[in-house]
Amino acid sequence: MNDTLKRLFAKLGPFLGLILVISLFSLPAEMREVFPTYGNFRFVFIQTVIVAIGALGMTLIIVSGGIDLSVGSSIALTSVVGAQLIQRGYGPVAVLAFSILSGGTIGLLNGTAIAGLRMIPFIITLGGMAILRGIAFVATRGQSVGGFPASFRDLVRMEIGDGLSFIPLATMVIVTVVGWIFLSRLAAGRRVYAIGGNELAARFSGIRVERVKLGVYVISGLTAGIAALMALGYYGSASSGDASGYELNVIAAAVVGGASLTGGRGSALGVVLGALILQMISSGIDILGIEQSYSQIIIGSVVIAAVVLDNFNTWLAKRRLTAKAH
Amino acid sequence: MKKHLLTLACALAALATVARAAEQRTLTIGVVAKSQGNPVFQAARVGAEDAAKELGAKLKMTIKIDWRTPNEEDAQKQAQAIEQLVLTGAEGISVSCSDANKLTDAINKAVDSGVPVATFDSDAPASKRFVTYGVDDIECGKQTMEELAKIMGGKGIVAVLAGNQNAPNLQKRVQGVKEAAKKYPGITIRDTYYHKETPQDAAAKVEQVMQANPDITGWAMIGGWPLFTVNALKWQPGTVKCVAVDALPAQLAYIRSGHVPVLLAQQCYEWGHRTVELLVEKIVLKKNPPAVKEISALIPVTKDNVDAFGKNWEKWLPK
């Protein structure tokens, strides 16, 4: 296999994975009437939106060689901020702006601690995970915030065609396109790859590593804010317990979509496909009537398989380079 | 010849009718409880499956229970489960809501699609569910406090163990406890303690609170979570009084040991059994319940009836 083919195969990997998952779940006779249908795909797309948008921000962090464990708590707090603003009568534009900015502020704080104070991302965001959820709990006194006027919900749930919620899907597409342009067409995106690939080399080549790192955490915070708004609008309420365990889903989507946890690799389209693959598996398992407990085992195994495959590819690439050098 | 042909046609038509009747209809009912690990919901599942068997035999149809409960409490996953049940052709849904606000839209969407929804244990009052089955939560809180006050002789410091802070039913029970406590000037409520609804988290919370507040003399547990583990109450029987809601097999040991004088049993087997019954009546017999709220009473379990009550669990738990 020549290099071009290999590169094409690597790029198409998540897409082929998605086709494989859809094909496998469409094989059993009892699945054919439910799984490969418009109704199910519509359901899966909507469920994918919240994970995919958050995962796009997370991919930037992962590509830069970092991690953000506080993304679930960030979504919970941002949702709570949005819900409380709606309850106090603020209009959709103000809610939108404040919620996304809250997410951005959380990202700025994370980024400042990690890039500015040179702290380990794992520790900072682990602490942030508890702090942000705690703030959300105190702000809501543990109550679910909902029952507000339906205008915001109606806007997010607005349907076109046969029951397709247009706004969440359009938002996901826009965020994906922006992420794709940023990562593959802009110099700023190249710098993120450079830092993730080899931070020291990037520093010596003149890249302002701290500034780039700060930037990716801010962007990730903003995408968490957008994901929170979609969740708030779609489900119609917010609570401090929202998005529990979400960080795992987001990281899993990034990894399955081809991002390397060691940094330097990952793409916007890949991560959306990764989120879709995981949601398709989850939906297929549900339709097959397999219990949730098994669903977690299966999805966990898929994530581990993706990491093993990634490590194997890295090993192969290194071997090829060594062979060429000799 | 014509007469023979007519007779043959009639016989064939009759045969086809009998064959059609013999071909049993399958009815799928989705059950979405709060969490898989909690034994009260395991009993609800057995109740739902028993009701499906009993009613299926009675109505000569196959009733299938589609159990779509998240591993841990997650209202978003419950909402997804409801949407997917509608998609996969469930004809009725029974749900215990982890967050009423979050589930209202999903329930309404299901009802608008022609799938009736019943709630149990924890309701979504603003939704279009046609019936809710469970205890009156404010009364449940009141009864817990009144039983505790009786045992404590109307004086002492009480802690309230309250589980998931987002569950509307538990919030009402806390409200009931506080309202009833007002009748007893000798009783002070130290605080309400929330925790993840797993036995280990609840037991750890009780231990932590007792370490920090050794002067607490009574516990009003509006759910029985810590008592699902062994040796959760680290004090000598009788030194700290305790009344808890629910009476699961593991909890009964605390009655026998004297740590807990009164348990208030919710009819958790009936949560599944009765809601499936109500759904089948609505879907098949086109019969609506007499009232939207169907209240189930709490059954006090003490040393006097603990053995008799314990025998129920042989039937209620999954085999």
Side-chain angles (χ1 to χ4, degrees), chain B residues 78-99:
Chain B
Q78 286 189 305
Q80 290 174 9
I82 292 173
E83 284 192 41
Q84 195 150 36
L85 278 165
V86 174
L87 195 72
T88 51
E91 289 181 64
I93 297 170
S94 167
V95 57
S96 170
C97 308
S98 283
D99 178 348

Side-chain angles (χ1 to χ4, degrees), chain B:
Chain B
M1 183 65 184
K2 260 185 189 172
K3 204 175 163 186
H4 286 306
L5 277 175
L6 197 67
T7 316
L8 188 68
C10 286
L12 283 173
L15 207 67
T17 312
V18 171
R20 222 173 290 137
E23 193 183 292
Q24 282 199 343
R25 185 193 162 196
T26 299
L27 170 73
T28 302
I29 290 178
V31 181
V32 186
K34 285 184 184 170
S35 67
Q36 297 257 17
N38 191 334
V40 295
F41 296 119
Q42 290 170 1
R45 182 181 189 172
V46 173
E49 279 163 358
D50 285 355
K53 272 181 225 147
E54 290 160 22
L55 293 166
K58 196 170 142 192
L59 299 169
K60 298 195 171 36
M61 62 193 307
T62 306
I63 301 174
K64 195 182 137 207
I65 298 297
D66 196 345
W67 177 253
R68 294 284 176 98
T69 297
N71 285 348
E72 287 180 5
E73 285 211 28
D74 187 332
Q76 200 167 306
K77 278 199 181 137
Q78 286 189 305
Q80 290 174 9
I82 292 173
E83 284 192 41
Q84 195 150 36
L85 278 165
V86 174
L87 195 72
T88 51
E91 289 181 64
I93 297 170
S94 167
V95 57
S96 170
C97 308
S98 283
D99 178 348
N101 284 327
K102 202 150 273 164
L103 288 169
T104 298
D105 273 349
I107 292 174
N108 289 350
K109 215 172 164 187
V111 175
D112 292 343
S113 313
V115 179
V117 177
T119 61
F120 64 90
D121 170 43
S122 184
D123 188 21
S127 71
K128 294 179 182 171
R129 88 294 186 247
F130 75 99
V131 71
T132 181
Y133 177 81
V135 294
D136 179 322
D137 288 300
I138 293 181
E139 285 306 315
C140 170
K142 282 184 181 170
Q143 200 175 334
T144 307
M145 188 64 236
E146 272 155 15
E147 292 283 358
L148 184 64
K150 223 186 287 172
I151 303 163
M152 292 173 73
K155 57 177 191 286
I157 298 169
V158 170
V160 184
L161 192 72
N164 171 14
Q165 67 277 7
N166 291 321
N169 63 328
L170 299 180
Q171 289 162 6
K172 282 186 189 160
R173 288 185 204 174
V174 172
Q175 183 192 334
V177 168
K178 288 179 178 169
E179 278 176 21
K182 284 180 192 156
K183 286 199 284 184
Y184 304 94
I187 284 183
T188 311
I189 293 187
R190 173 59 49 85
D191 208 343
T192 304
Y193 299 97
Y194 299 101
H195 54 89
K196 250 175 104 176
E197 285 187 30
T198 69
Q200 291 77 11
D201 283 298
K205 179 58 82 179
V206 172
E207 203 173 344
Q208 180 196 337
V209 171
M210 287 308 288
Q211 289 277 352
N213 304 272
D215 55 340
I216 285 172
T217 51
W219 273 93
M221 298 182 178
I222 58 165
W225 313 282
L227 310 182
F228 304 155
T229 63
V230 181
N231 200 23
L233 310 182
K234 308 282 186 202
W235 53 80
Q236 285 298 311
T239 52
V240 178
K241 315 288 186 196
C242 180
V243 172
V245 175
D246 293 325
L248 282 111
Q251 287 176 274
L252 302 181
Y254 289 92
I255 291 263
R256 294 187 181 106
S257 71
H259 279 95
V260 180
V262 182
L263 289 171
L264 297 170
Q266 293 193 86
Q267 301 185 43
C268 39
Y269 172 86
E270 286 297 323
W271 289 344
H273 196 279
R274 182 66 186 138
T275 49
V276 167
E277 233 171 43
L278 289 162
L279 280 162
V280 171
E281 279 173 7
K282 179 154 179 87
I283 299 161
V284 182
L285 307 173
K286 312 288 174 208
K287 194 176 139 194
N288 274 317
V292 174
K293 280 189 181 178
E294 192 166 312
I295 305 291
S296 72
L298 287 164
I299 304 165
V301 181
T302 62
K303 263 194 172 157
D304 299 333
N305 64 347
V306 64
D307 291 329
F309 185 84
K311 283 198 178 120
N312 289 324
W313 285 105
E314 288 166 20
K315 179 189 169 197
W316 291 349
L317 280 182
K319 300 283 178 296

Side-chain angles (χ1 to χ4, degrees), chain A residues 300-319:
Chain A
S301 307
V302 169
V303 173
I304 290 175
V307 173
V308 169
L309 198 67
D310 174 55
N311 280 351
F312 181 67
N313 279 337
T314 312
W315 176 77
L316 273 184
K318 272 186 187 164
R319 221 176 81 152

Side-chain angles (χ1 to χ4, degrees), chain A:
Chain A
M1 207 191 287
N2 64 31
D3 278 357
T4 319
L5 262 178
K6 273 177 201 157
R7 235 174 281 141
L8 188 70
F9 190 75
K11 283 206 167 167
L12 288 178
F15 187 66
L16 295 174
L18 182 64
I19 291 175
L20 181 74
V21 168
I22 294 174
S23 311
L24 282 177
F25 279 113
S26 303
L27 278 179
E30 72 268 26
M31 295 288 282
R32 264 175 242 151
E33 279 178 23
V34 186
F35 188 80
T37 59
Y38 168 76
N40 186 46
F41 286 168
R42 183 188 63 197
F43 170 79
V44 168
F45 279 129
I46 292 301
Q47 299 311 326
T48 303
V49 167
I50 300 163
V51 172
I53 293 175
L56 279 159
M58 177 68 86
T59 300
L60 290 188
I61 293 180
I62 289 176
V63 168
S64 77
I67 197 87
D68 181 4
L69 299 180
S70 68
V71 62
S73 304
S74 172
I75 286 182
L77 180 56
T78 316
S79 296
V80 162
V81 169
Q84 288 187 334
L85 288 173
I86 297 172
Q87 244 184 5
R88 283 171 198 172
Y90 284 82
V93 177
V95 172
L96 204 84
F98 270 107
S99 303
I100 296 176
L101 281 177
S102 308
T105 310
I106 293 167
L108 182 70
L109 291 172
N110 275 337
T112 307
I114 291 161
L117 305 175
R118 300 204 176 181
M119 308 280 271
I120 301 166
F122 181 85
I123 302 296
I124 289 296
T125 56
L126 186 68
M129 181 164 93
I131 293 169
L132 297 174
R133 210 169 276 286
I135 296 172
F137 184 84
V138 171
T140 56
R141 294 182 187 166
Q143 309 287 310
S144 161
V145 186
F148 35 72
S151 53
F152 184 70
R153 250 171 38 208
D154 290 348
L155 178 72
V156 174
R157 276 184 172 251
M158 186 177 69
E159 292 177 352
I160 56 162
D162 188 7
L164 184 72
S165 295
F166 169 72
I167 299 284
L169 271 184
T171 309
M172 184 173 80
V173 171
I174 292 169
V175 175
T176 309
V177 170
V178 172
W180 175 75
I181 292 171
F182 179 84
L183 277 174
S184 59
R185 292 285 177 270
L186 298 184
R190 294 286 163 211
R191 288 187 203 114
V192 179
Y193 281 109
I195 291 172
N198 188 333
E199 189 175 325
L200 197 63
R203 203 180 284 280
F204 282 131
S205 64
I207 293 173
R208 297 170 79 173
V209 173
E210 279 69 34
R211 189 188 276 192
V212 175
K213 278 190 179 177
L214 183 69
V216 294
Y217 281 93
V218 171
I219 293 173
S220 177
L222 293 172
T223 55
I226 297 170
L229 275 173
M230 292 302 112
L232 178 63
Y234 195 76
Y235 293 106
S237 78
S239 76
S240 57
D242 282 359
S244 294
Y246 177 86
E247 45 285 331
L248 280 180
N249 298 341
V250 165
I251 294 168
V255 169
V256 171
S260 169
L261 285 174
T262 51
R265 240 176 318 130
S267 71
L269 191 60
V271 78
V272 174
L273 291 172
L276 259 176
I277 289 173
L278 292 176
Q279 198 56 50
M280 284 284 178
I281 294 174
S282 176
S283 161
I285 288 169
D286 279 350
I287 295 171
L288 275 174
I290 299 170
E291 279 191 18
Q292 289 263 331
S293 342
Y294 294 98
S295 146
Q296 280 187 332
I297 295 170
I298 295 168
I299 290 174
S301 307
V302 169
V303 173
I304 290 175
V307 173
V308 169
L309 198 67
D310 174 55
N311 280 351
F312 181 67
N313 279 337
T314 312
W315 176 77
L316 273 184
K318 272 186 187 164
R319 221 176 81 152
R320 268 202 307 271
L321 276 175
T322 320
K324 270 185 189 171
H326 284 99

